[in-house]
Amino acid sequence: MARKYPAEFLGTLILVFFGAGAAALVLGYRIFGSSLAAGIVFVALAFGLTYAALAYVIGPISGAHVNPAVTLGAYITKRVTLVEAAGYWVAQLAGGIVGALLLWWMMRTSPFYAKPKIGLGANGYGASSILHVSGGGAFLVEVIITTFFVLVVLSLTREKTSVAVSGLGIGIALTVAVLIGIPFDGASVNPARSLGPAVVTGGAALSQVWVFLVAPMAGALLAAVLQLLVYPPPSGFFGRRAKTQAAGTQPADEQVQPADQATTTVPNPRSPRLGGRLRPRRRHPASPGGP
């Protein structure tokens, strides 16, 4: 547990620094000139590739949520406890703010930087939107793209899925979500990604940030419900988990095996990563007369 929260803090910091930094360069400095399409692709790849890399770096530790919406989906599907989820949320939001502060500090080293004009890649609607969508439109966009993204994450991190493939798949899903979302509202999909730049930038970004805090969480809730419909848990799963956790014991399928069927906990490349847990592998007892 002591390693999970620092991992989420660091991962969210990195995601905000590189992703929001790419957005500031494209939408603020206009480094691609009049080619807005190239700039949007650049930002989407920055977010997607960074997230994919984090899935391999901190995935074995914390599950690489780096997103309060993903953590909410994991909690609803019973992959993390409420205490773990709360710790994740605190670490992620703090990481987003520190990442934005570091980005602002770096941007200030340029004589061409002016915070009111360049910003920090914050999300927004109305005059802050490329398409000038309304607040309601931005809310709808965030619910849709976050539902898609969190559903992909939950599906690619369930039992018996390949970790080698899941990191790349999650990165591609985020890239697609950001590609679609940028013209509408800058594409949040992640409350921590939105809160950090909004707090540091202030102004309209801070007054509008509530949309990008609430809408992604609503999308995560919808994604978790869809996940449970597509991949229903075993009968009595939720009730059994609640009773055993309240009693301080483990579910029957997670209890320690008898001595003659001892198990060893080893890294399993197909174990779910959203909780950063390892799956036990059975060691068969030695045959009579064997070593």
Side-chain angles (χ1 to χ4, degrees), residues 79 153-163 227 231 241 253-254 268-274 277-280:
R79 303 188 189 187
V153 173
L154 294 176
S155 298
L156 290 181
T157 52
R158 60 191 174 84
E159 188 71 23
K160 298 182 180 180
T161 55
S162 172
V163 175
Q227 170 71 16
Y231 300 104
R241 282 295 175 91
D253 57 354
E254 295 182 5
N268 187 332
R270 294 183 179 275
S271 63
R273 295 299 185 189
L274 274 184
R277 297 168 181 160
L278 298 177
R279 182 184 176 189

Coordinates of all heavy atoms in Angstrom, one line a residue, residues 79 153-163 227 231 241 253-254 268-274 277-280:
R79 N -12.5 -4.0 -7.7 CA -11.1 -4.4 -7.8 C -10.2 -3.6 -6.8 O -9.1 -4.0 -6.6 CB -10.6 -4.0 -9.3 CG -11.5 -4.7 -10.3 CD -10.9 -4.5 -11.7 NE -11.8 -4.9 -12.7 CZ -11.5 -5.0 -14.0 NH1 -10.3 -4.6 -14.4 NH2 -12.3 -5.4 -14.9
V153 N -10.3 0.2 -20.5 CA -9.4 -0.1 -19.4 C -9.9 -1.3 -18.6 O -9.1 -2.2 -18.3 CB -9.2 1.2 -18.5 CG1 -8.3 0.8 -17.3 CG2 -8.5 2.3 -19.3
L154 N -11.1 -1.2 -18.2 CA -11.7 -2.3 -17.4 C -11.6 -3.6 -18.1 O -11.4 -4.7 -17.5 CB -13.1 -2.0 -16.9 CG -13.2 -0.8 -16.0 CD1 -14.7 -0.5 -15.7 CD2 -12.5 -1.0 -14.7
S155 N -11.9 -3.6 -19.4 CA -11.9 -4.8 -20.2 C -10.5 -5.4 -20.4 O -10.3 -6.6 -20.3 CB -12.6 -4.6 -21.5 OG -13.9 -4.2 -21.4
L156 N -9.5 -4.5 -20.6 CA -8.2 -5.0 -20.9 C -7.4 -5.4 -19.6 O -6.3 -5.9 -19.7 CB -7.4 -3.9 -21.7 CG -7.9 -3.7 -23.1 CD1 -7.0 -2.7 -23.8 CD2 -7.8 -5.0 -23.9
T157 N -8.0 -5.1 -18.5 CA -7.3 -5.4 -17.2 C -8.0 -6.5 -16.4 O -7.7 -6.7 -15.2 CB -7.1 -4.1 -16.4 OG1 -8.3 -3.5 -16.2 CG2 -6.1 -3.2 -17.0
R158 N -9.0 -7.1 -17.0 CA -9.7 -8.2 -16.3 C -8.8 -9.4 -16.3 O -7.8 -9.5 -16.9 CB -11.1 -8.4 -16.9 CG -11.0 -8.9 -18.3 CD -12.4 -8.8 -18.9 NE -12.4 -9.1 -20.4 CZ -12.3 -10.3 -20.9 NH1 -12.3 -11.4 -20.1 NH2 -12.2 -10.5 -22.2
E159 N -9.3 -10.4 -15.6 CA -8.6 -11.7 -15.4 C -8.3 -12.4 -16.8 O -9.2 -12.3 -17.7 CB -9.4 -12.7 -14.6 CG -8.7 -14.0 -14.2 CD -7.6 -13.7 -13.2 OE1 -7.7 -12.7 -12.5 OE2 -6.7 -14.6 -13.1
K160 N -7.2 -12.9 -16.9 CA -6.8 -13.7 -18.1 C -6.6 -12.8 -19.4 O -6.7 -13.3 -20.5 CB -7.8 -14.8 -18.4 CG -7.9 -15.9 -17.3 CD -8.9 -17.0 -17.7 CE -9.0 -18.0 -16.6 NZ -9.9 -19.1 -16.9
T161 N -6.3 -11.6 -19.2 CA -5.9 -10.7 -20.3 C -4.4 -10.5 -20.3 O -3.8 -10.5 -19.2 CB -6.6 -9.4 -20.3 OG1 -6.3 -8.7 -19.0 CG2 -8.1 -9.5 -20.4
S162 N -3.8 -10.3 -21.4 CA -2.4 -10.1 -21.6 C -1.9 -8.7 -21.2 O -2.4 -7.7 -21.8 CB -1.9 -10.4 -23.0 OG -0.6 -10.1 -23.2
V163 N -1.1 -8.6 -20.2 CA -0.6 -7.3 -19.8 C 0.3 -6.7 -20.9 O 0.3 -5.5 -21.1 CB 0.3 -7.5 -18.5 CG1 0.9 -6.2 -18.1 CG2 -0.6 -8.0 -17.4
Q227 N -19.5 -2.7 -18.1 CA -18.6 -3.7 -17.9 C -19.2 -4.9 -17.1 O -19.0 -6.1 -17.5 CB -17.4 -3.2 -17.1 CG -16.4 -4.3 -16.6 CD -15.6 -4.9 -17.7 OE1 -15.5 -4.4 -18.8 NE2 -15.0 -6.0 -17.5
Y231 N -19.5 -8.5 -18.8 CA -18.7 -9.5 -18.1 C -19.3 -9.7 -16.7 O -18.7 -9.2 -15.7 CB -17.3 -9.2 -18.0 CG -16.6 -9.1 -19.4 CD1 -16.3 -7.8 -19.9 CD2 -16.3 -10.2 -20.1 CE1 -15.7 -7.7 -21.1 CE2 -15.7 -10.1 -21.4 CZ -15.4 -8.8 -21.9 OH -14.8 -8.7 -23.1
R241 N -18.1 -10.5 -1.1 CA -17.0 -9.6 -0.8 C -17.3 -8.7 0.4 O -16.5 -8.5 1.2 CB -16.7 -8.8 -2.0 CG -15.9 -9.6 -3.1 CD -14.5 -9.9 -2.6 NE -13.8 -10.7 -3.5 CZ -13.0 -10.2 -4.5 NH1 -12.9 -8.9 -4.6 NH2 -12.3 -11.0 -5.3
D253 N -12.7 -18.2 -2.4 CA -11.8 -18.5 -3.6 C -10.4 -17.8 -3.4 O -9.6 -17.9 -4.3 CB -12.4 -18.0 -4.9 CG -12.8 -16.6 -4.8 OD1 -12.7 -15.9 -3.8 OD2 -13.3 -16.1 -5.9
E254 N -10.2 -17.0 -2.3 CA -8.9 -16.4 -2.1 C -8.3 -16.8 -0.8 O -7.2 -16.3 -0.4 CB -9.2 -14.8 -2.0 CG -9.7 -14.3 -3.3 CD -9.8 -12.7 -3.2 OE1 -9.4 -12.2 -2.2 OE2 -10.3 -12.1 -4.2
N268 N 2.3 -13.1 -12.3 CA 1.6 -13.7 -13.4 C 1.3 -12.7 -14.5 O 0.6 -11.7 -14.2 CB 0.3 -14.3 -12.9 CG -0.4 -15.1 -13.9 OD1 -0.2 -14.9 -15.1 ND2 -1.2 -16.1 -13.5
P269 N 1.9 -12.8 -15.7 CA 1.7 -11.8 -16.7 C 0.2 -11.6 -17.1 O -0.1 -10.7 -17.8 CB 2.5 -12.3 -17.9 CG 2.6 -13.8 -17.7 CD 2.7 -14.0 -16.2
R270 N -0.7 -12.5 -16.7 CA -2.1 -12.4 -17.1 C -2.9 -12.0 -15.9 O -4.1 -12.0 -16.0 CB -2.6 -13.7 -17.6 CG -1.9 -14.1 -18.9 CD -2.5 -15.4 -19.5 NE -1.9 -15.7 -20.8 CZ -2.3 -15.3 -21.9 NH1 -3.3 -14.4 -22.0 NH2 -1.7 -15.6 -23.0
S271 N -2.3 -11.5 -14.8 CA -3.1 -11.1 -13.7 C -3.7 -9.7 -13.9 O -3.0 -8.9 -14.5 CB -2.3 -11.2 -12.4 OG -1.2 -10.3 -12.5
P272 N -4.8 -9.4 -13.3 CA -5.4 -8.0 -13.5 C -4.5 -7.0 -12.8 O -4.0 -7.2 -11.7 CB -6.8 -8.1 -12.8 CG -6.7 -9.2 -11.9 CD -5.7 -10.2 -12.5
R273 N -4.3 -5.9 -13.4 CA -3.4 -4.9 -12.9 C -4.0 -3.7 -12.3 O -3.4 -2.8 -11.7 CB -2.5 -4.3 -14.1 CG -1.5 -5.4 -14.6 CD -0.6 -6.0 -13.6 NE 0.3 -6.9 -14.1 CZ 1.2 -7.6 -13.4 NH1 1.1 -7.5 -12.1 NH2 2.0 -8.4 -14.0
L274 N -5.3 -3.6 -12.3 CA -6.0 -2.4 -11.8 C -5.8 -2.3 -10.3 O -5.9 -1.3 -9.7 CB -7.5 -2.4 -12.1 CG -7.8 -1.8 -13.5 CD1 -9.3 -1.7 -13.7 CD2 -7.2 -0.4 -13.6
R277 N -2.2 -6.4 -8.1 CA -2.1 -7.6 -7.3 C -1.5 -8.7 -8.1 O -1.5 -8.7 -9.3 CB -3.5 -8.1 -6.8 CG -4.1 -7.1 -5.8 CD -5.6 -7.4 -5.6 NE -6.2 -6.5 -4.7 CZ -7.5 -6.3 -4.6 NH1 -8.3 -7.0 -5.4 NH2 -8.0 -5.4 -3.8
L278 N -1.0 -9.7 -7.4 CA -0.4 -10.9 -8.0 C -1.3 -12.1 -7.8 O -2.0 -12.2 -6.8 CB 1.0 -11.2 -7.5 CG 2.0 -10.1 -7.7 CD1 3.3 -10.5 -7.0 CD2 2.2 -9.8 -9.2
R279 N -1.3 -13.0 -8.7 CA -2.1 -14.2 -8.7 C -1.3 -15.4 -8.2 O -0.3 -15.7 -8.8 CB -2.7 -14.4 -10.0 CG -3.7 -15.6 -10.1 CD -4.2 -15.8 -11.5 NE -5.0 -17.0 -11.7 CZ -5.4 -17.5 -12.8 NH1 -5.0 -16.9 -13.9 NH2 -6.2 -18.6 -12.8
P280 N -1.8 -16.2 -7.2 CA -1.1 -17.3 -6.7 C -1.1 -18.4 -7.8 O -2.0 -18.7 -8.5 CB -1.8 -17.7 -5.5 CG -3.2 -17.2 -5.7 CD -3.0 -16.0 -6.4

